[in-house]
Amino acid sequence: MEYALVITNGHIATPDGVIDADLAIQDEKIAAIGHNLAAHSDQVLDAKGQMVLPGMVDSHVHINEPGRSDWEDYHTGSQALAAGGTTTMLVMPLNALPARTTEKEFKRQAKIAENKSYVDYGLYGGLVPGNVDEIQKMADAGAMGFKTFMATTGSDIPGDFKNVDDYQLFRGMQAIAQTGLPILVHAENAAITDGLAAEKIAAGKTDIKDYVDSRPPFVEFEAVRRAIYFAKQTNVRLHFVHLSTPESVAEVTKAREAGLQVTCETCPHYLILDRDQFEKIGPLAKCSPALRDPAIVKGLWKKLFNGEIDTIGSDHSPAPMSMKRSQTNNIFDIWGGISGCQNNVDLFYDEAVTKRGLPITEFVKVTAQRPAELFGLANKGRLQVGYDADITLLDLNQSYTIKADDLYYKNKISAYEGFKVNDRVTTTLLRGHVIYRLDHGFIDKPSGHLLTKKFSGVLQR
Ligand SMILES: [Zn+2]
């Protein structure tokens, strides 16, 4: 028999459009896409009526191991991703303890992750005050890029991640430019957000509304412009994480049109949720930047439809329930971060493609193809011959309501609990092997590989 496995009867989301055909797998790669391939394999997976999607490449995940494994570890986080149709995760350098900001810690944490992840994974390093000398060394150790904060991270715990000032950002960008890897920036003006928050707290104004108002859209916009200006001076590849306003995205587009290597991400929650829902859902929907006015959300959807947003990342940022519950009725004391990575594919497909008509080619571009390209994952992100057979089957004829019990997170909490989803991930394959089935759970031991491919060229649209 020629093929290890053939997926039949599915609607295959190739980069050029959806085709009804069979997909054959050999040696962990897609070997053929065509008709009547089933006769050439002993193993046939019937995907009748289902969408066959490239597994999502989630380039924005927080795993808290080591140091805070009770928040999320590689095992639970990767299970949630795999069950949700994601096959590659790129892991942020913060919220584990210590943060991954030195070569030594990078190598140690790469070891810690071994044999624990159900999905393939890459690790970012961090740019923090005083670690410019570690940048090249972390790049040599396999970092996929470098995350940094212009906003205040707000932790005084030793070893925890710290934000940079403009000087440190500038010097860091120079060092990162030498590696050819991208810098990933959380863009919000630290002085203004800190000042506005302090005013609110001093006045006893500590409701959800006050938190949202302490992080107005212009603080993001200003930081985006400043970072782009520094990127122009340093020639670094700049990727903005979680942009939350159409104005910020427009700046990225403008910079790109001016010839700079600037790209951007948004997250499902900035598209699916807004500040009104934040009031209803409560602290589980606290994140930064904060959720926006419905009119801004509408504008952000428009940017997605225009093709101005490069990637969708979950910014899965888990915490124990005790940190998401208000003891004092003070929203400023609550952990900022949304658990959501298990619903990257199903909920976002429902909202973007089914309800709003985003073309499926655009869906696969922002969830798989583009993130793989931006981070140099040459074999990932496309259902195309020669690519890794990282595949998720999405059944558009099933619907379900998201419940805590369905979640694989270590802390079974989600901003999306109670949401009805009009499709469902039924099967996930990693490099040709079925790793998860809805009716069975996880098939085998974790088999995710560490990805260390370095960025290998300039990517323009
Ligand atoms: Zn994040």
Side-chain angles (χ1 to χ4, degrees), residues 358-381:
L358 184 75
I360 293 167
T361 47
E362 290 300 310
F363 177 88
V364 301
K365 200 182 277 173
V366 292
T367 58
Q369 197 174 317
R370 235 3 227 163
E373 287 170 1
L374 288 185
F375 297 101
L377 306 173
N379 303 321
K380 303 280 190 199

Side-chain angles (χ1 to χ4, degrees), residues 137-405:
K137 290 189 271 181
M138 283 191 278
D140 294 340
M144 308 298 299
F146 296 94
K147 172 74 179 291
T148 201
F149 264 66
M150 294 171 82
T152 302
T153 56
S155 170
D156 335 307
I157 297 169
D160 222 346
F161 206 83
K162 303 283 189 299
N163 51 294
V164 290
D165 62 22
D166 286 349
Y167 164 73
Q168 292 155 342
L169 178 60
F170 168 66
R171 285 296 190 207
M173 280 182 168
Q174 285 182 317
I176 293 166
Q178 297 297 315
T179 69
L181 293 165
I183 184 170
L184 296 90
V185 173
H186 177 134
E188 283 185 294
N189 182 302
I192 298 178
T193 50
D194 291 352
L196 293 178
E199 276 176 27
K200 295 280 185 195
I201 293 164
K205 294 181 171 173
T206 57
D207 292 339
I208 284 172
K209 177 186 177 305
D210 303 309
Y211 172 72
V212 174
D213 291 342
S214 76
R215 307 187 90 97
F218 82 87
V219 302
E220 177 184 85
F221 182 59
E222 185 281 325
V224 163
R225 292 188 64 157
R226 183 157 31 107
I228 289 173
Y229 186 72
F230 295 161
K232 192 175 171 185
Q233 305 308 313
T234 56
N235 239 334
V236 76
R237 268 184 54 73
L238 171 59
H239 183 64
F240 288 104
V241 293
H242 55 51
L243 289 188
S244 63
T245 68
E247 288 78 10
S248 296
V249 176
E251 286 300 308
V252 172
T253 301
K254 212 161 75 184
R256 191 160 38 225
E257 283 168 2
L260 301 180
Q261 297 184 72
V262 184
T263 52
C264 69
E265 165 199 84
T266 194
C267 312
H269 45 267
Y270 293 113
L271 293 162
I272 296 168
L273 304 176
D274 61 28
R275 67 181 291 171
D276 298 341
Q277 280 157 305
F278 186 7
E279 303 255 10
K280 279 183 220 139
I281 295 166
L284 287 179
K286 181 184 174 184
C287 56
S288 67
L291 296 176
R292 300 301 186 191
D293 289 340
I296 293 176
V297 173
K298 212 171 155 193
L300 197 62
W301 274 111
K302 211 168 158 196
K303 292 293 182 197
L304 179 75
F305 272 74
N306 285 350
E308 293 180 69
I309 293 171
D310 294 272
T311 65
I312 295 290
S314 66
D315 196 3
H316 177 66
S317 180
M321 190 58 202
S322 58
M323 296 178 68
K324 292 297 282 180
R325 207 182 281 128
S326 176
Q327 319 287 352
T328 54
N329 264 337
N330 180 347
I331 190 73
F332 290 93
D333 289 345
I334 302 277
W335 174 258
I338 287 182
S339 284
C341 71
Q342 195 172 325
N343 300 105
N344 276 340
V345 175
D346 60 4
L347 185 57
F348 183 59
Y349 188 100
D350 189 24
E351 293 288 339
V353 180
T354 306
K355 290 184 182 161
R356 290 178 177 82
L358 184 75
I360 293 167
T361 47
E362 290 300 310
F363 177 88
V364 301
K365 200 182 277 173
V366 292
T367 58
Q369 197 174 317
R370 235 3 227 163
E373 287 170 1
L374 288 185
F375 297 101
L377 306 173
N379 303 321
K380 303 280 190 199
R382 288 170 185 244
L383 297 186
Q384 205 167 292
V385 171
Y387 279 72
D388 284 359
D390 295 342
I391 295 167
T392 186
L393 304 186
L394 186 71
D395 189 348
L396 305 185
N397 297 311
Q398 289 196 44
S399 63
Y400 78 109
T401 300
I402 297 170
K403 290 195 226 62
D405 276 356

Side-chain angles (χ1 to χ4, degrees), residues 69-90:
S69 297
D70 55 322
W71 298 17
E72 195 82 277
D73 60 26
Y74 280 93
H75 184 87
T76 52
S78 68
Q79 279 197 326
L81 285 160
T86 295
T87 49
T88 298
M89 66 171 169
L90 300 185

